[in-house]
Amino acid sequence: MLRAEAAVPVRMRRVAIVAPEQALRESLVRIAESGCVEVDLAGEDGPEVRGPAMTRLQRLRAESAHPVLSEAPPDLDVLEREGRTDLLAGEAELEERLGSAVRHGAVAALAGWCPERQMGSTAARIAGAGGALVPLRAPRGVDPPSLLAGADTASPAYTARPVRRSFTPLVTTYGTVPYADLDPTMAAGIIYVVMFGLMFGDAGHGLLLVVLALLLRAGRPRRLTALHPLWPFVAGAGLAATVAGVAYGEFFGPTGVLPVLWLEPLEEPMRLLAVAVGLGAVLLAGAYTAGIVNRWREGGPASALYATTGIAGAALYLGLAVGAGSVWLGLVAYGVLGAVIAVVGLVLAGTGLYATTAGGPGGAVQTGIQLFDAVVRIGSNVVSFARLAAFGLTHAALGAIVWDGTTALVGRGPVGVVAALLVFVVGNAVAFSLEALVAGVQALRLEFYELFSRLFEGEGRPFKPWHLPVQHVGGAAAAGPPAPEETVRSGPASKESS
């Protein structure tokens, strides 16, 4: 069962890093090593402040190096002579944060954000250096940064279950989820693979995707190692396509290997179309529900009531859906009920939209245009899900063409058999590649434009913890290149699964 906190971004706390002046450097080194705190920088929009390390780094005019921090204060002149741009870059970042500290007597402090669950371990880490992590009240009008439970951050402090981690790019590609909003990662991933399966419904092609996912999990081929975290996502899409293919009776086309358990797409296109549009209607209803929750969390009851992605929009959608159902069923009473609900939705939405205008006749015209657009958009969004059926039919048609060409060549002697085998393999390869691309893009389009556009009205700010590896060496040795037995160690003492 999903935990309640998994439905929202990671809970953040406003914190202050407080330490005696002489212990501030070591405290910040431990903060960088833990990778759990986003540290506020003073004058981020002002001119660049050049410390001694940055000055030496710029004199070297070397290519950008991956910053590394030395546990002990290094000799910057030695680092410059030896070309240690990695340690100089790390010291430059440290200087920037030391310069951002607020000082009062012998005590210095910096503000920032830290995930609530990481506060205990982070506080214990810097306590050993003489520092403290103090919780603060969040400033008014400032939203905390957002971190999804499955986000892939630079810090090893955040690990997620493989499935959640593989689904997260679906959301982060669209934008940063506002801190107050719901985290739709798991729902978005499941919906995506279902829609992909309906369009890519072939058991043979789906099993090929599952094999590809297993190869990614094993780190093969090596050139695709960066895609390793996505293997559960690919496996889910392959399983969905396999299930749909079993339902359609498709195994590398209509080969007859599998019986038709539900419907044959090319024989019952209207039934498939009705299912696709019906599924779209259900998904839109779910998107409106999540949108109401988000508007309430963002701006309270009024925002949820009057927004076109809140109660007002949901009422308009429900009214139009009931009206369409009355036409389908031939029940006039349902048509009247749908009209009443739709009018209520229009009034609420119009009130909210008019309040955002300058008022007067111009505001009324603008509101009317926006309401008309909202009505048309609802209809077009529902119909847009017909592409689930359309591309499912396209996949089935390509499979049928390849299979017909294969069977036509089989009875023409040995040459015909070879030609048939070639047509079958090449044809399925082309169909697999083309339809995988098309189904993947179309499922993404439906998720972004039809669903996410109702969930989110704004964008949040991503959580960017300060994280650098730390070179643990002693005294003056920190200034020179590490000996063969020395290692660079980074990361927190323990990792917490989100």
Side-chain angles (χ1 to χ4, degrees):
M1 180 179 293
L2 293 175
R3 296 175 297 175
E5 58 267 28
V8 294
V10 175
R11 186 74 61 185
M12 292 286 171
R13 288 296 302 272
R14 186 68 169 169
V15 296
I17 305 164
V18 183
E21 183 69 36
Q22 65 272 18
L24 182 59
R25 184 189 190 280
E26 185 179 353
S27 298
L28 286 178
V29 168
R30 297 191 179 199
I31 287 291
E33 188 176 26
S34 70
C36 295
V37 181
E38 179 182 294
V39 182
D40 292 350
L41 298 178
E44 289 182 331
D45 299 327
E48 180 182 357
V49 178
R50 295 186 181 181
M54 177 59 73
T55 301
R56 288 167 171 78
L57 186 64
Q58 291 178 339
R59 278 205 299 257
L60 291 175
R61 296 181 179 178
E63 295 183 0
S64 298
H66 295 291
V68 176
L69 272 176
S70 173
E71 182 180 27
D75 186 324
L76 299 181
D77 292 329
V78 174
L79 294 182
E80 183 180 8
R81 285 197 303 269
E82 297 181 350
R84 295 300 305 275
T85 55
D86 54 346
L87 288 172
L88 283 174
E91 286 299 315
E93 290 194 20
L94 182 61
E95 287 174 352
E96 189 176 18
R97 282 148 185 84
L98 288 171
S100 300
V102 176
R103 291 166 171 82
H104 183 75
V107 178
L110 295 99
W113 297 95
C114 179
E116 195 172 70
R117 289 189 170 189
Q118 298 289 346
M119 285 190 60
S121 59
T122 306
R125 175 180 287 270
I126 67 172
L133 193 69
V134 181
L136 302 175
R137 181 177 298 177
R140 288 186 178 182
V142 177
D143 290 331
S146 295
L147 173 66
L148 301 185
D152 186 14
T153 71
S155 168
Y158 308 103
T159 58
R161 293 182 177 90
V163 173
R164 174 177 284 276
R165 185 183 179 192
S166 70
F167 286 164
T168 299
L170 278 175
V171 181
T172 55
T173 300
Y174 183 82
T176 302
V177 176
Y179 182 75
D181 286 7
L182 298 174
D183 176 3
T185 299
M186 290 303 296
I190 293 171
I191 290 169
Y192 183 96
V193 299
V194 169
M195 292 192 297
F196 179 89
L198 287 174
M199 291 184 282
F200 198 69
D202 186 291
H205 293 172
L207 290 175
L208 287 179
L209 277 180
V210 174
V211 171
L212 176 60
L214 295 176
L215 289 174
L216 289 176
R217 186 175 186 271
R220 304 290 181 182
R222 291 188 176 182
R223 71 177 70 177
L224 299 180
T225 302
L227 300 179
H228 167 76
L230 298 180
W231 76 264
F233 177 73
V234 178
L239 289 174
T242 301
V243 171
V246 171
Y248 298 158
E250 297 274 334
F251 185 82
F252 294 109
T255 55
V257 174
L258 297 175
V260 178
L261 297 183
W262 177 39
L263 61 82
E264 191 173 352
L266 295 178
E267 297 297 325
E268 299 181 82
M270 295 308 297
R271 185 180 174 191
L272 183 60
L273 178 64
V275 170
V277 173
L279 175 62
V282 173
L283 293 178
L284 285 174
Y288 273 115
T289 302
I292 292 171
V293 176
N294 285 346
R295 300 297 84 76
W296 191 294
R297 293 169 62 92
E298 292 167 357
S303 177
L305 180 62
Y306 296 110
T308 55
T309 56
I311 295 174
L316 178 59
Y317 173 74
L318 178 61
L320 293 176
V322 172
S326 71
V327 174
W328 181 272
L329 298 174
L331 299 175
V332 178
Y334 283 105
V336 174
L337 177 61
V340 171
I341 297 174
V343 169
V344 171
L346 283 171
V347 171
L348 291 175
T351 302
L353 292 171
Y354 186 77
T356 64
T357 68
V365 172
Q366 180 181 339
T367 300
I369 294 174
Q370 290 176 312
L371 288 176
F372 178 77
D373 177 72
V375 174
V376 172
R377 186 180 170 207
I378 287 174
S380 64
N381 288 165
V382 174
V383 174
S384 186
F385 281 92
R387 68 187 65 221
L388 296 176
F391 288 105
L393 289 169
T394 301
H395 195 178
L398 286 175
I401 291 172
V402 172
W403 182 242
D404 288 345
T406 300
T407 54
L409 293 169
V410 168
R412 300 186 179 182
V415 175
V417 172
V418 174
L421 181 61
L422 184 63
V423 168
F424 183 78
V425 173
V426 174
N428 271 283
V430 171
F432 176 89
S433 303
L434 180 62
E435 286 301 304
L437 176 63
V438 171
V441 171
Q442 292 302 322
L444 193 65
R445 184 224 177 269
L446 287 170
E447 195 142 59
F448 281 5
Y449 291 99
E450 272 64 46
L451 303 179
F452 282 5
S453 62
R454 287 169 170 79
L455 264 65
F456 309 120
E457 285 195 339
E459 190 169 3
R461 180 176 66 83
F463 176 62
K464 297 179 180 179
W466 185 42
H467 172 62
L468 294 179
V470 175
Q471 182 172 288
H472 290 268
V473 293
E485 68 272 11
E486 292 169 353
T487 58
V488 174
R489 176 168 60 85
S490 66
S494 62
K495 297 181 180 181
E496 182 174 333
S497 177
S498 298

